[in-house]
Amino acid sequence: MLSEDPTKRTLADLGVTDAIQLAFRFTELRAQLQRDLKRAKESGEWDMLRETWIGSPDSVKSRITTNWLRTAPPGLQPAVARDLENLINEVFILSTVMRSLDQLGTAQADQVAAQFLKLQQVFDTEIEECVDEIDLGVSRTFWLGRSSGVLTHITDSWLKTASPQLKRVVGAEFNKLKTHVESKIEERRTAIEAGAEEASLAREGVDLSLPGVIRPVGSHHLIRQVLQEVEDIFFSIGFSVVEGPEIETPYYNFEALNIPEFHPVRDDMDTFYLQLPKGAPEPLLLRTHTSPMQIRTMEKRQPPVRVIVPGKVYRRDNPDATHSFIFHQVEGLAVDTDITFCDFTGTIEYFVKQFFGPGVKTRFRPSYFPFTEPSVEFDVSCIFCGGSGTAAGGGNCSKCKGAGWIELFGAGMVDPAVYGFVNYDAKKVSGFAFGMGIDRLAMLKYGIDDIQVFFQNDVRFLRQFP
Ligand code: DAH
């Protein structure tokens, strides 16, 4: 027997708490049974085998009954009972079919038929108890398995050793049993499959009276919508889109844009620097504007250049209704041999009228950016009070504070110093550039008074812009 016989201990003692652990214990027992059967076959001591497993008061069967079945938690009891019954059947069947008819004391044709009938009865009960494919697979192997299935054992132990008088009847009974087993297994398989199908149909059945599953359809974020609107307007007048890295070097973000290291405008553009390993060749930062792409574009292309650059930008700003450490810009750059200030203002005016409607007026005021000369600030007539500066109910318009104008974005003619950084001939080319805050444009156009809502992603806000 097993070195440490588990059937002498209770299931709780063995730590068996579920059907899987239980099945494992029975598998162990079956392996032991196989070893005992082999030994009995060699020694011919079949009575002893039956005694060890099912006959005596100290057999495996009675130990399992006392130590496992009686002490099992109620939930596990049916499984123990069933596994035990199967094991006993196996002992009975295998110890029958592994013996020769001689050893079984079967010498008459009717005794042969009776042996086969007993086997068939055990098979019939067993197959009825198969509830799924797994059970069925186990039974199929046990009865039909090529190397050690019941039928193979019968061929080896009964058929091959049968006396000439019995051979014919053993052969006939064998074929009968074989056909019976095969057709029953097939029958059961079809039944199990049909049952499974029915169950899955019942599970998946369509109930037309149930309300449908509503799958919400997403939409573009308002910022994305406005970006697309801006892109479309510039597409229509011959600009194309380029995009660039959000992680930049100080050279592209500042120096090449004519903002040397200690220039005061850097104060407005404080940003986030990346932590780099010691010895990294240069610092890296989150770009503070989309303007670096002016440089990257001109480095790669010769004039004429007409591009816009949509993208995210970052600043070390404390969040409030008009500031966020992340926001969006669209940069514009047009450089050619004959671009004038008129092309510049005409382009901007065209854009503003397309975007806000033909009724708005534009104006520009002198301003300062290191990379444009002259630099301007573009204003649009207040879209809330129609440029009157007066609120509907009287008093000052709260949006433009009574000015009638709203500041839109910075722009200017490209400073010749910038051309020096990209090897353009400042004497031959000219151009203009602009950089607008998309969040600001969206807030103005859609009457939103807090930039934070763009980044909070509250669907109650987002759904208002399907
Ligand atoms: N980059 C500037 C900023 O973020 C905006 C800007 C101003 C861009 C003038 C331009 C420009 O291209 O010409 O404040």
Side-chain angles (χ1 to χ4, degrees):
M1 281 309 308
L2 298 177
S3 49
E4 198 207 345
D5 189 342
T7 60
K8 288 186 174 154
R9 301 165 62 188
T10 63
L11 290 180
D13 225 19
L14 293 166
V16 173
T17 52
D18 62 26
I20 294 176
Q21 291 165 324
L22 182 71
F24 175 71
R25 288 295 174 176
F26 272 99
T27 309
E28 271 179 350
L29 288 174
R30 279 202 180 84
Q32 181 60 38
L33 173 63
Q34 289 297 336
R35 287 192 287 274
D36 286 3
L37 285 164
K38 208 169 148 226
R39 215 174 303 133
K41 195 171 169 122
E42 283 157 12
S43 65
E45 291 180 345
W46 290 102
D47 291 343
M48 192 168 102
L49 179 125
R50 285 216 177 179
E51 205 147 290
T52 311
W53 285 85
I54 45 185
S56 70
D58 190 35
S59 66
V60 175
K61 176 187 167 184
S62 41
R63 281 202 304 272
I64 291 180
T65 312
T66 336
N67 299 330
W68 292 10
L69 189 60
R70 301 221 174 103
T71 68
L76 208 51
Q77 240 159 21
V80 181
R82 196 176 146 208
D83 283 348
L84 176 59
E85 191 191 322
N86 286 343
L87 182 70
I88 294 166
N89 279 342
E90 265 173 52
V91 176
F92 166 74
I93 292 171
L94 292 174
S95 63
T96 306
V97 297
M98 285 171 79
R99 274 188 273 184
S100 66
L101 290 173
D102 223 21
Q103 283 171 322
L104 289 168
T106 307
Q108 310 290 325
D110 55 344
Q111 289 174 319
V112 170
Q115 290 286 8
F116 273 99
L117 188 63
K118 248 192 279 171
L119 289 179
Q120 187 180 317
Q121 279 163 350
V122 177
F123 168 78
D124 283 348
T125 351
E126 183 185 316
I127 204 75
E128 278 312 310
E129 279 172 8
C130 287
V131 294
D132 56 26
E133 296 278 355
I134 298 171
D135 286 351
L136 200 63
V138 173
S139 286
R140 186 188 285 118
T141 316
F142 182 73
W143 288 88
L144 299 174
R146 243 172 231 277
S147 63
S148 53
V150 173
L151 290 163
T152 306
H153 283 307
I154 295 179
T155 314
D156 291 344
S157 331
W158 293 4
L159 202 57
K160 286 187 185 153
T161 64
S163 60
Q165 311 91 285
L166 284 186
K167 229 181 189 118
R168 176 184 281 271
V169 60
V170 174
E173 288 291 339
F174 174 83
N175 285 335
K176 218 167 80 189
L177 180 66
K178 188 168 185 236
T179 320
H180 178 82
V181 167
E182 282 171 348
S183 68
K184 273 277 175 184
I185 285 181
E186 185 51 29
E187 206 176 276
R188 192 77 197 131
R189 195 185 62 78
T190 322
I192 287 172
E193 239 170 42
E197 216 159 89
E198 222 165 78
S200 90
L201 270 182
R203 239 181 293 122
E204 293 163 15
V206 179
D207 180 350
L208 294 176
S209 67
L210 285 174
V213 178
I214 296 163
R215 300 192 196 284
V217 178
S219 60
H220 283 148
H221 191 285
L222 182 59
I223 292 295
R224 170 63 44 200
Q225 294 181 32
V226 172
L227 274 170
Q228 257 160 19
E229 208 180 325
V230 172
E231 285 174 13
D232 286 345
I233 296 169
F234 282 103
F235 278 153
S236 71
I237 49 174
F239 281 74
S240 55
V241 171
V242 291
E243 283 180 289
E246 287 171 28
I247 295 175
E248 265 298 5
T249 62
Y251 175 78
Y252 285 107
N253 198 76
F254 298 123
E255 275 105 76
L257 285 161
N258 205 24
I259 315 175
E261 186 155 7
F262 297 104
H263 198 288
V265 297
R266 285 214 188 184
D267 287 351
D268 300 333
M269 293 206 181
D270 201 3
T271 184
F272 304 91
Y273 285 77
L274 274 75
Q275 235 169 24
L276 296 175
K278 262 212 172 82
E282 57 181 335
L284 290 175
L285 49 81
L286 295 185
R287 67 178 177 191
T288 58
H289 49 176
T290 41
S291 306
M293 277 307 288
Q294 291 190 27
I295 307 301
R296 289 184 179 277
T297 306
M298 287 190 283
E299 275 179 347
K300 281 207 202 93
R301 300 189 194 176
Q302 287 304 306
V305 166
R306 271 195 304 272
V307 293
I308 54 168
V309 188
K312 293 194 198 79
V313 300
Y314 304 82
R315 294 208 190 158
R316 227 211 67 183
D317 281 342
N318 289 322
D320 63 23
T322 52
H323 293 85
S324 165
F325 57 82
I326 177 174
F327 56 103
H328 303 81
Q329 287 189 335
V330 170
E331 189 80 12
L333 174 71
V335 180
D336 206 344
T337 48
D338 52 0
I339 290 191
T340 67
F341 200 82
C342 280
D343 297 317
F344 168 44
T345 53
T347 305
I348 299 297
E349 197 163 318
Y350 172 79
F351 164 73
V352 173
K353 293 206 155 147
Q354 289 290 311
F355 187 78
F356 286 111
V360 296
K361 291 199 278 290
T362 57
R363 73 171 188 189
F364 57 83
R365 293 171 288 118
S367 184
Y368 174 77
F369 299 102
F371 38 92
T372 45
E373 181 60 34
S375 302
V376 303
E377 203 69 57
F378 255 93
D379 293 349
V380 61
S381 56
C382 179
I383 44 191
F384 300 99
C385 63
S388 68
T390 321
N396 275 353
C397 166
S398 66
K399 303 289 177 174
C400 64
K401 314 241 161 31
W405 294 94
I406 286 178
E407 189 181 307
L408 262 195
F409 53 82
M413 299 302 286
V414 177
D415 192 311
V418 172
Y419 296 131
F421 287 97
V422 295
N423 289 325
Y424 276 14
D425 186 345
K427 292 204 185 70
K428 290 197 185 128
V429 297
S430 58
F432 62 84
F434 55 86
M436 34 202 190
I438 290 301
D439 311 77
R440 180 166 169 74
L441 287 186
M443 287 166 78
L444 287 173
K445 183 159 176 170
Y446 295 97
I448 295 159
D449 51 19
D450 186 354
I451 192 174
Q452 302 301 328
V453 295
F454 291 136
F455 307 104
Q456 286 159 349
N457 282 333
D458 185 331
V459 287
R460 288 168 302 181
F461 166 73
L462 299 175
R463 279 200 190 119
Q464 295 173 48
F465 307 97

